[in-house]
Amino acid sequence: MLSGLTVSERHAALFVLGALALVGLAMAVAGQGDPLAVHGYIVLAFSLALGFAVLSVLFAPEPPESRLSEYYDDPTRVGIILSLAWAVAGMFVGVWVAALLAWPELTFVDSAWASFGRLRPVHTSGVIFGFGGNALIATSFHVLQRTCRARLPDQFSPWFVLIGYNLFCLVAATGYLMGLTQSKEYAEPEWYADIWLVIVWVVYFLIYIRTLQRRKEPHIYVANWYYMAFILVVAVLHIVNNLAVPVSFGHAKSYSLFSGVQDAMTQWWYGHNAVAFFLTSGFLGMMYYYLPKRAERPIFSYRLSIISFWGITFMYMWAGAHHLHYTALPQWVQTLGMTFSIVLLVPSWASAGNALATLNGAWHKVRDDATLRFMMVAAVFYGLSTFEGSFMAIRAVNSLSHYTDWTVGHVHAGALGWVAMITFGSLYALVPWMWKTERMYSPRLIEVHFWLALAGTVVYVFAMWNSGIIQGLMWRTYNDSGTLAYSFIDSLVAMHPYYIARAFGGLLFLAGAVVCCVNVGMTIRMARRAQKAEAGGDVPVLAPAGE
């Protein structure tokens, strides 16, 4: 793949990697005795490894001019593989921490890095940013080119975004294991990782703008509206939320520019809109492209999708304050956040309904095609989760939902049922196109994955709903003397069977992800064997397992 870069692009890659290696060296020297030094060595090793890889093809011939007549899909292929690798790693840690909650004595490593507090953010960032982020980058490059009928503007910047983003994920995950965290929801990496992500994200945005400028289609397809909102707003949220002052340039620790309730408001303005523009808008871009393509039907209503887009964009911006009911935040701000959260149901259901209406007349395909069923179930969970989210924002309900495991169930209904399902469905549609095969290696394995994922999601979510409601009821029960009827430890004991069920649900979902990796790996292997056979090699043909 690196030999596909032009000579000038290889020089640019070497220059960037050299500069990055110097930054890593400076971090290692300045941060002696601090976790910053460890990250410096990681950045240095990462840069040198990639630098040697580029050097190995530095004098290779220029790629043929004919490449410019084709779409540039190499970053998409690598992004798919990285996404699945992060999925398995992140979900494995998720099952681990879920098991720790059910059986605290399960810690088999008596070390700080293996504690729940350090592993939990590894799980969260691994699945959200590693799995989801890589899938978003990979699919957005694919969708952007097809809907614009234009090749990406160059071959270096997509690699910079993909590799640079994964370096950020690596620094974030290793930082959590060392105890580094800003303790902010969805924004836990420290200041130097945040600065690096801003640089990567600006390049990502420029790729989008430059490709849109070169488009051969007069209009901008709706999926690109959602991808653009995802890229642009996440940058704004990230920059404001991560305004911080480091202790020194030789220390990893930093302190937020905000304090008190202003800091809480900023964090939830970011946190709720991270759900909106990272976990919703980008994946709606996926849904609006891959679902109609797979169903072989036009989207039910293009106008409805645009109305939904502007509704979601406007409403979400004001809804974050509902997370701060019963706090020092002025009540009128809490009420404003609650009101916008309730109204948000309308544009959210517009998109969910638009997706399901698109399938009208294609239900026989949903029955027979597990890939399309992944997308259908994702749209259903999107509708359910957005209804639940609006309901949970109501002040009286919020007092029960936001301080118990109900919120954990709600978050995972969205994460597993919506985000992961639409991602797996899109990847199953995309992989055969990227590796030029008629279909995935095994349709039966897709069926197995679908039922494992659906069973895992249902078990997980119902366990947490029950757990949350019982927690709330126990914490609100008083005896005749007006004191609490149950101690905190009583509620923990009552939660034990639900925590076991949660770990089991997560295990099922992880097993499904492993099945997906096997299927994708075999599809790639099958494609390579077919290419070798076409090239004239005497290679035995691998029969797909589905036949």
Side-chain angles (χ1 to χ4, degrees):
M1 290 182 182
L2 289 174
S3 59
L5 299 176
T6 64
V7 172
S8 60
E9 286 169 340
R10 291 171 211 162
H11 288 159
L14 276 179
F15 175 78
V16 170
L17 290 168
L20 195 59
L22 288 177
V23 171
L25 183 62
M27 290 168 63
V29 172
Q32 289 300 320
D34 190 270
L36 181 72
V38 179
H39 276 157
Y41 288 121
I42 290 175
V43 171
L44 182 61
F46 188 89
S47 308
L48 291 178
L50 284 176
F52 283 120
V54 175
L55 276 174
S56 67
V57 297
L58 186 61
F59 300 106
E62 283 269 12
E65 285 293 319
S66 59
R67 75 185 188 285
L68 299 177
S69 61
E70 299 175 352
Y71 295 126
Y72 189 47
D73 289 328
D74 285 350
T76 297
R77 294 189 188 96
V78 175
I80 291 170
I81 295 169
L82 289 171
S83 175
L84 291 175
W86 278 106
V88 173
M91 291 174 193
F92 169 76
V93 178
V95 174
W96 186 357
V97 294
L100 279 177
L101 284 172
W103 302 285
E105 68 279 7
L106 197 64
T107 303
F108 56 85
V109 181
D110 187 18
S111 182
W113 70 266
S115 61
F116 177 87
R118 295 194 183 185
L119 290 175
R120 198 280 307 159
V122 175
H123 160 61
T124 308
S125 291
V127 292
I128 293 179
F129 299 116
F131 169 49
N134 275 298
L136 286 169
I137 292 173
T139 56
S140 65
F141 286 160
H142 173 257
V143 172
L144 177 66
Q145 295 182 89
R146 268 65 180 184
T147 53
C148 293
R149 288 199 295 125
R151 184 182 165 91
L152 294 176
D154 66 277
Q155 300 177 128
F156 171 66
S157 55
W159 286 116
F160 178 82
V161 171
L162 186 67
I163 302 298
Y165 180 76
N166 279 277
L167 176 60
F168 162 78
C169 292
L170 180 65
V171 169
T174 52
Y176 303 146
L177 295 177
M178 290 188 288
L180 285 179
T181 173
Q182 290 188 133
S183 301
K184 291 185 173 184
E185 188 79 8
Y186 308 133
E188 292 167 289
E190 276 293 353
W191 58 276
Y192 47 93
D194 292 335
I195 292 172
W196 174 245
L197 184 59
V198 170
I199 296 170
V200 170
W201 217 250
V202 168
V203 176
Y204 190 17
F205 181 71
L206 291 177
I207 290 175
Y208 239 83
I209 294 294
R210 291 165 66 199
T211 309
L212 286 174
Q213 283 178 329
R214 303 165 74 242
R215 73 183 187 276
K216 295 172 185 168
E217 287 288 340
H219 73 290
I220 300 175
Y221 187 70
V222 63
N224 286 319
W225 286 70
Y226 285 96
Y227 278 122
M228 283 286 288
F230 146 66
I231 299 169
L232 180 62
V233 181
V234 164
V236 174
L237 300 171
H238 174 79
I239 291 170
V240 176
N241 188 49
N242 287 295
L243 290 174
V245 180
V247 172
S248 78
F249 290 118
H251 290 82
K253 184 62 188 167
S254 65
Y255 290 95
S256 173
L257 213 59
F258 308 100
S259 63
V261 74
Q262 286 82 13
D263 190 35
M265 185 61 232
T266 306
Q267 285 188 43
W268 275 116
W269 169 77
Y270 167 88
H272 197 73
N273 282 302
V275 173
F277 291 95
F278 197 100
L279 296 172
T280 301
S281 180
F283 292 95
L284 281 173
M286 259 188 221
M287 186 190 79
Y288 272 115
Y289 182 80
Y290 292 105
L291 187 142
K293 288 287 285 186
R294 190 71 183 186
E296 296 180 317
R297 296 180 63 81
I299 195 73
F300 171 70
S301 171
Y302 190 83
R303 289 178 181 174
L304 188 59
S305 62
I306 296 294
I307 292 170
S308 172
F309 169 80
W310 286 112
I312 288 173
T313 303
F314 180 74
M315 300 293 176
Y316 252 118
M317 276 293 171
W318 308 99
H322 83 261
H323 287 276
L324 296 170
H325 283 312
Y326 308 102
T327 68
L329 191 75
Q331 189 160 343
W332 72 266
V333 183
Q334 301 174 24
T335 305
L336 184 74
M338 179 185 76
T339 306
F340 275 101
S341 296
I342 295 169
V343 179
L344 186 57
L345 178 64
V346 177
S348 298
W349 272 31
S351 272
N354 209 2
L356 295 176
T358 301
L359 296 172
N360 195 23
W363 291 108
H364 61 288
K365 294 182 180 176
V366 176
R367 181 194 62 201
D368 300 333
D369 183 359
T371 298
L372 193 56
R373 216 178 307 137
F374 264 109
M375 300 181 195
M376 184 273 291
V377 169
V380 171
F381 267 99
Y382 177 60
L384 291 173
S385 298
T386 49
F387 169 77
E388 188 186 26
S390 295
F391 181 64
M392 291 168 74
I394 299 171
R395 187 175 176 81
V397 180
N398 188 285
S399 65
L400 175 66
S401 64
H402 273 59
Y403 298 94
T404 66
D405 284 339
W406 184 353
T407 290
V408 181
H410 167 67
V411 167
H412 282 80
L416 304 179
W418 158 237
V419 173
M421 291 280 192
I422 192 65
T423 302
F424 284 128
S426 300
L427 294 185
Y428 280 130
L430 181 56
V431 165
W433 295 339
M434 287 294 94
W435 275 275
K436 296 181 172 43
T437 59
E438 285 188 9
R439 57 180 173 80
M440 290 293 296
Y441 167 71
S442 171
R444 287 181 186 172
L445 286 181
I446 303 177
E447 284 281 350
V448 171
H449 181 192
F450 173 78
W451 289 111
L452 282 172
L454 185 61
T457 304
V458 170
V459 169
Y460 191 112
V461 172
F462 273 95
M464 288 297 96
W465 277 344
N466 279 286
S467 169
I469 290 171
I470 291 175
Q471 269 180 342
L473 293 177
M474 291 180 77
W475 293 346
R476 291 173 170 204
T477 303
Y478 299 90
N479 55 30
D480 293 338
S481 62
T483 58
L484 291 173
Y486 300 99
S487 67
F488 186 72
I489 196 69
D490 289 334
S491 65
L492 274 183
V493 171
M495 296 308 105
H496 189 63
Y498 300 113
Y499 286 1
I500 294 174
R502 167 166 64 179
F504 179 66
L507 187 63
L508 290 178
F509 207 88
L510 170 64
V514 172
V515 169
C516 177
C517 289
V518 171
N519 207 356
V520 170
M522 293 303 293
T523 304
I524 295 171
R525 188 180 175 195
M526 186 174 71
R528 287 178 177 167
R529 283 174 177 262
Q531 288 168 4
K532 285 182 181 176
E534 285 180 9
D538 187 13
V539 179
V541 176
L542 183 67
E547 293 183 347

